[in-house]
């Protein structure tokens, strides 16, 4: 009997026994009529209903003859109460209070409306009055980090001595960190970006393709490639699907896109550098001018912005609690500036740079550097980049050989997509490859694909994580990869081979 007097050791043994019994009962007994309700569906409409719920124990707090739990499912949580009475004994209250944080439990409870909103939970208008609770999976008592600390905004609670969790600690304990409400929301947003990207382009008549990731030559013509052993020779991890997208255009696919991994051997440790990320790439033939491609890409981006705004407000607000940001602004049609305009604006703001410097890495957003009200947009295109800073396959500007028919797209001062009209003439492409000191033999198949008639075409590529600048800030950029990798930190979860 739980109520019988005895030593502390006997009481602890008793709790262990009942805990095991709860696990066994819940795992082994299948009740066909039991329906598990989702936390996010707990609204006042369900008031006075008896429901079953499976969730994690986020926090617990015992107070006299009652215990308050916060139960969490992904980014949603609800307050639960168990109190001594007709449906709960004193021993049940003690048992609930001793369940370790992050343990998975099944509870049977009555949904009750509350007179005062519960500000600390996502479900603010109801709470659960528990009648039964079973432990499904018990977590260890000592956690490597506290989830409430991991989602605390920087600087909040410093006066009270409340902790925050640094990025290295989060990445060292990635499975726990991914349980936070912020991480849950971020990855749902990233999933939304990819879905909106696919849906929009398929509706525009594009075909999705999957391109090789082990290639014979560096696709960007640079040194930032991973070399891998390929039987008796060497190969590279793809920096971009660029060359294969173009080959599809030459094969009359007309419009293609791909979503897939991209690898960059960038030996840097900034928020912009990852060794692997998910790329979003577009390529299409055009009829008269490469601005047709820009218009198609910017419209796709605008549809993503609208989709996130209209369908992911819960996730956006969840992330904003930890990383506050202003609502994202964009124009229709999208603002397009020429590169020389951007350079002039930066010089006006006191930034020293040459006419052909790559301003992507030199200064803040040229669209807002003078005043936020000048264009009233967080998204814009910068057109006509210097030819010297672009890849070998970029079409030179026919009116000025110093510049090119290339463009970048920016969100809140960060470049999120780079693109251009591609060279579709084999002779000019050969000359540009030689200028970049690329081994022609290694890209022979690529160049040959333009010898048999190739339509004028262009495209662009970016990172799915970059599009999340829309609802959040770049403070969490690296945390947007499931298992992020950089030059200083391989993407490793110690998976056995």
């Amino acid at each position: 009997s739980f109520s019988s007097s005895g030593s502390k050791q006997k009481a602890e043994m008793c709790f262990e026994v009942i805990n095991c019994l709860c696990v066994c009962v819940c795992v082994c007994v299948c009740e066909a009529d039991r329906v598990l309700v989702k936390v996010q569906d707990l609204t006042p409409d369900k008031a006075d209903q008896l429901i079953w719920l499976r969730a994690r124990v986020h926090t617990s707090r015992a107070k006299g003859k009652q215990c308050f739990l916060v139960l969490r499912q992904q980014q949603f949580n609800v307050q639960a109460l168990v109190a001594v009475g007709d449906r709960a004994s004193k021993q049940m209250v003690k048992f609930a209070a001793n369940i370790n944080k992050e343990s998975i439990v099944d509870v049977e409870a009555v949904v009750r409306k509350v007179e005062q909103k519960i500000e600390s939970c996502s479900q603010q208008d109801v709470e659960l009055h528990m009648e039964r609770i079973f432990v499904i999976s018990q977590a260890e008592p000592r956690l490597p980090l506290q989830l409430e600390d991991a989602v605390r905004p920087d600087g909040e609670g410093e006066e009270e001595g409340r902790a925050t969790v640094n990025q290295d600690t989060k990445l060292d304990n990635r499975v726990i960190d991914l349980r936070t409400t912020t991480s849950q929301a971020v990855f749902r947003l990233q999933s939304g970006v990819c879905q909106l990207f696919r849906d929009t382009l398929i509706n525009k008549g594009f075909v999705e393709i999957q391109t090789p990731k082990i290639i014979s030559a560096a696709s960007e013509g640079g040194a930032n490639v991973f070399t891998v052993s390929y039987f008796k020779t060497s190969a590279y991890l793809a920096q971009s699907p660029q060359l294969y997208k173009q080959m599809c255009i030459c094969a009359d696919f007309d419009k293609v896109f791909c979503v897939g991994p991209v690898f960059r051997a960038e030996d840097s440790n900034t928020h912009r550098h990852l060794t692997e990320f998910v790329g979003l790439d577009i390529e299409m033939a055009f009829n008269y001018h490469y601005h047709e491609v820009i218009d198609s890409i910017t419209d796709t981006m605008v549809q993503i912005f609208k989709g996130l705004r209209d369908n992911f407000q819960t996730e956006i607000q969840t992330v904003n609690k930890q990383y506050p940001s202003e609502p994202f602004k964009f124009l229709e049609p999208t603002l397009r500036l020429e590169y020389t305009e951007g350079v002039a604006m930066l010089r006006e703001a006191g930034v020293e740079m040459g006419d052909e410097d790559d301003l992507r890495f030199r200064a803040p957003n040229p669209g807002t550097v003078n005043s936020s009200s000048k264009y009233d947009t967080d998204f814009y295109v910068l057109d006509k980049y210097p030819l010297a800073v672009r890849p070998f396959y970029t079409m030179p500007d026919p009116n000025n050989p110093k510049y090119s028919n290339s463009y970048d797209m920016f969100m809140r001062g960060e470049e999120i997509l780079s693109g251009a009209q591609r060279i579709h003439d084999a002779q000019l492409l050969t000359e540009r490859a030689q200028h970049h000191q690329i081994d022609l033999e290694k890209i022979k198949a690529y160049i040959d694909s333009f010898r048999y008639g190739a339509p004028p075409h262009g495209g662009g590529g970016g990172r799915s994580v970059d599009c999340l600048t829309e609802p959040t800030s770049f403070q969490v950029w690296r945390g947007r990869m499931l298992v992020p990798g950089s030059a200083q930190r391989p993407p490793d979860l110690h998976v056995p081979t």
Side-chain angles (χ1 to χ4, degrees):
S1 169
F2 285 110
S3 60
S4 61
S5 60
S7 66
K8 181 179 179 181
Q9 183 178 8
K10 288 181 178 179
E12 289 175 348
M13 289 176 62
C14 204
F15 278 115
E16 284 295 320
V17 170
I18 195 67
N19 187 35
C20 291
L21 286 174
C22 288
V23 172
C24 292
V25 168
C26 209
V27 171
C28 298
V29 176
C30 178
E31 297 187 19
D33 60 344
R34 179 183 298 180
V35 177
L36 295 173
V37 176
K38 293 183 178 294
V39 169
Q40 68 186 87
D41 296 332
L42 294 176
T43 62
D45 293 340
K46 285 188 167 51
D48 301 324
Q49 292 184 23
L50 184 67
I51 58 98
W52 279 96
L53 177 79
R54 177 169 293 178
R56 288 189 184 273
V57 175
H58 186 63
T59 62
S60 64
R61 176 172 56 89
K63 185 176 181 181
K65 296 183 178 181
Q66 58 187 10
C67 177
F68 289 92
L69 303 177
V70 173
L71 303 177
R72 190 187 75 248
Q73 269 183 3
Q74 299 165 348
Q75 57 187 315
F76 304 98
N77 51 31
V78 65
Q79 179 173 282
L81 168 68
V82 56
V84 175
D86 293 340
R87 302 292 295 174
S89 65
K90 182 180 178 181
Q91 289 74 29
M92 180 178 170
V93 174
K94 281 187 176 182
F95 171 71
N98 281 277
I99 299 173
N100 296 333
K101 287 183 180 180
E102 294 304 298
S103 296
I104 299 174
V105 297
D106 274 8
V107 300
E108 184 183 34
V110 177
V111 182
R112 299 293 190 196
K113 289 183 182 179
V114 294
E115 295 181 359
Q116 187 173 354
K117 286 185 178 293
I118 303 170
E119 300 292 343
S120 60
C121 293
S122 66
Q123 310 310 108
Q124 299 185 352
D125 299 316
V126 296
E127 67 179 6
L128 300 179
H129 289 204
M130 293 189 296
E131 298 188 356
R132 287 194 283 176
I133 182 168
F134 302 102
V135 176
I136 300 300
S137 178
Q138 176 131 297
E140 292 187 0
R142 187 179 180 87
L143 296 173
L145 58 88
Q146 299 298 317
L147 271 70
E148 56 266 33
D149 295 337
V151 298
R152 186 169 291 120
D154 290 342
E156 183 179 294
E158 287 183 354
E159 295 179 359
E160 297 85 2
R162 296 160 73 186
T164 56
V165 182
N166 64 38
Q167 189 78 314
D168 283 340
T169 301
K170 291 180 180 180
L171 296 181
D172 286 340
N173 302 280
R174 191 58 168 156
V175 172
I176 302 295
D177 179 52
L178 287 173
R179 294 179 188 174
T180 65
T181 53
T182 301
S183 292
Q184 291 284 320
V186 162
F187 284 98
R188 279 162 177 74
L189 284 165
Q190 186 173 341
S191 173
V193 167
C194 293
Q195 178 187 346
L196 291 163
F197 181 76
R198 279 192 171 98
D199 291 348
T200 301
L201 291 176
I202 287 172
N203 288 336
K204 289 177 177 288
F206 281 73
V207 177
E208 182 171 7
I209 59 173
Q210 300 298 330
T211 63
K213 306 309 174 191
I214 300 176
I215 59 179
S216 61
S219 54
E220 299 291 337
N224 295 331
V225 292
F226 288 109
T227 304
V228 297
S229 175
Y230 194 77
F231 300 103
K232 294 182 180 181
T233 185
S234 295
Y236 304 94
L237 295 182
Q239 295 169 289
S240 163
Q242 180 57 49
L243 310 187
Y244 297 99
K245 290 189 302 175
Q246 287 187 261
M247 291 172 76
C248 286
I249 299 302
C250 293
D252 291 343
F253 278 73
D254 195 42
K255 299 177 181 179
V256 298
F257 75 93
C258 55
V259 179
V262 175
F263 304 90
R264 299 283 171 89
E266 296 176 324
D267 192 7
S268 300
N269 189 30
T270 74
H271 73 277
R272 292 294 304 165
H273 292 93
L274 289 173
T275 53
E276 179 183 355
F277 55 85
V278 176
L280 304 178
D281 282 86
I282 298 174
E283 202 75 19
M284 60 177 281
F286 62 84
N287 295 320
Y288 306 109
H289 199 280
Y290 76 95
H291 283 176
E292 296 169 34
V293 183
I294 294 179
D295 292 341
S296 186
I297 297 175
T298 54
D299 180 67
T300 299
M301 296 303 300
V302 167
Q303 297 311 312
I304 291 174
F305 302 153
K306 288 180 176 179
L308 293 177
R309 179 196 64 193
D310 297 341
N311 303 315
F312 291 86
Q313 273 303 312
T314 297
E315 288 76 11
I316 291 173
Q317 295 307 317
T318 297
V319 176
N320 279 342
K321 288 178 183 177
Q322 184 171 2
Y323 301 101
S325 64
E326 295 296 321
F328 186 78
K329 295 182 290 186
F330 55 92
L331 301 176
E332 292 186 82
T334 299
L335 172 69
R336 183 166 62 238
L337 302 171
E338 290 208 356
Y339 189 88
T340 52
E341 293 180 81
V343 170
M345 293 173 66
L346 290 173
R347 286 173 175 166
E348 289 175 11
V351 177
E352 295 183 6
M353 62 179 299
D355 290 343
E356 297 182 29
D357 287 348
D358 195 340
L359 60 71
R360 290 175 295 176
F361 313 113
R362 293 295 303 276
N365 187 341
T368 57
V369 71
N370 283 345
S371 69
S372 60
S373 60
K374 183 166 185 176
Y375 294 112
D376 197 34
T377 181
D378 292 318
F379 175 61
Y380 67 95
V381 179
L382 205 59
D383 193 15
K384 296 293 183 185
Y385 264 75
L387 184 62
V389 301
R390 306 305 272 197
F392 76 94
Y393 47 73
T394 304
M395 180 67 77
D397 182 348
N399 300 315
N400 188 338
K402 278 189 172 183
Y403 292 93
S404 63
N405 290 355
S406 65
Y407 43 86
D408 281 353
M409 297 181 187
F410 289 78
M411 293 172 61
R412 288 180 170 164
E414 297 282 353
E415 175 244 324
I416 60 114
L417 183 143
S418 185
Q421 178 184 352
R422 322 301 188 183
I423 296 173
H424 59 280
D425 176 78
Q427 182 58 40
L428 179 57
L429 191 60
T430 300
E431 293 172 5
R432 293 301 302 163
Q434 289 173 329
H435 177 80
H436 282 259
Q437 299 180 333
I438 295 174
D439 187 344
L440 295 181
E441 190 61 32
K442 290 185 176 180
I443 60 170
K444 183 178 184 300
Y446 170 66
I447 293 178
D448 285 347
S449 66
F450 297 95
R451 298 188 189 280
Y452 312 110
H457 62 280
R463 295 176 262 212
S464 63
V465 291
D466 286 352
C467 297
L468 299 188
T469 315
E470 191 279 328
T472 64
S473 76
F474 266 85
Q475 291 171 280
V476 288
W477 196 91
R478 181 153 292 165
R480 293 172 187 160
M481 294 300 293
L482 193 66
V483 185
S486 65
Q488 287 70 32
R489 188 185 190 98
D492 186 16
L493 275 183
H494 309 291
V495 179
T497 57

